[in-house]
Amino acid sequence: MRVKAENLTIDCEVGDIAAQPDMDAVVNAANAQLMIGGGVAGAIHRAAGKGLAEECAPLAPLAPGEAVVTSGHNLPNPHVIHCLGPVYGRDEPADRLLADCYRNALQLAEENELKSLAFPAISTGAFGYPLRAATEIAVATVLDAAPRLHRVRHVRFCLFSEGDYDVYAEILASRTG
Ligand code: AR6
């Protein structure tokens, strides 16, 4: 599905975050050391190749809520924005730290004059954040930022399952309808 908020187009799709060729950047649900891991981080590093890990090494460690930008190496995207989401039940306040990921990623996109970026559902896999609560934060934070975005024109939420997509589509529709 696709909605408009101010000058921003927001869509959500089922897909692989490492296969979003029309985006200027994809967001990595990173680990603190910015190394290859499972889930999103594994998919992004495998597709990007060793050069990404080499560029990431001096930027680590990240604190929860922080974001850094690198180039995309062998990915179809010129850039990757790496965010460290909160581990649910450990990093507090989890809701603010998760919102910080989305805010900081959007700010980095603005600073780097990127027009489009795709987010995975940060923290909702290995880090255990309940999907519905995380989705409310992701959608609210992007909508809240929309009036202040001048470069970013397109945000995609890239979900890994139909079930996750349904939750995003429902919440996005209810917040923009
Ligand atoms: N494309 C899009 N979404 C994906 C993909 C993919 N290729 N693979 C998984 N997801 P996770 P986290 C979904 O665990 O919770 C890593 O090992 C997945 O179904 O990637 O922030 C890192 O190294 C879930 O909905 O990120 C860290 O240690 C969402 O993406 C840690 O996991 C996030 O799952 C980060 O945990």
Side-chain angles (χ1 to χ4, degrees):
M1 79 173 285
R2 178 176 286 246
V3 298
K4 285 282 278 183
E6 306 283 333
N7 291 321
L8 187 66
T9 297
I10 306 173
D11 64 12
C12 55
E13 289 185 2
V14 178
D16 177 359
I17 195 73
Q20 303 295 319
D22 56 331
M23 295 281 113
D24 288 342
V26 288
V27 174
N28 182 16
N31 48 68
Q33 296 307 320
L34 292 172
M35 291 168 67
I36 188 166
V40 166
I44 284 181
H45 277 273
R46 271 193 306 276
K50 281 204 178 100
L52 180 62
E54 286 165 12
E55 187 182 353
C56 280
L59 304 175
L62 288 194
E66 281 184 348
V68 293
V69 64
T70 66
S71 64
H73 297 266
N74 296 336
L75 280 163
N77 322 93
H79 299 278
V80 179
I81 296 176
H82 307 260
C83 293
L84 179 63
V87 175
Y88 193 72
R90 187 190 77 185
D91 299 322
E92 297 292 347
D95 54 352
R96 184 176 61 72
L97 294 171
L98 186 60
D100 284 348
C101 287
Y102 289 91
R103 262 194 295 272
N104 288 332
L106 288 168
Q107 190 183 327
L108 277 181
E110 282 284 304
E111 287 167 11
N112 287 273
E113 306 198 348
L114 310 184
K115 285 201 184 69
S116 53
L117 77 166
F119 285 100
I122 298 169
S123 281
T124 68
F127 285 177
Y129 211 116
L131 182 78
R132 183 167 282 274
T135 305
E136 294 278 8
I137 291 165
V139 168
T141 306
V142 171
L143 288 176
D144 181 63
R148 297 185 298 280
L149 298 176
H150 302 293
R151 312 280 182 189
V152 177
R153 288 281 177 268
H154 186 178
V155 166
R156 173 170 298 151
F157 293 115
C158 174
L159 291 323
F160 213 40
S161 73
E162 294 286 347
D164 290 358
Y165 171 88
D166 290 345
V167 172
Y168 264 79
E170 177 202 323
I171 291 174
L172 200 51
S174 72
R175 296 296 173 267
T176 53

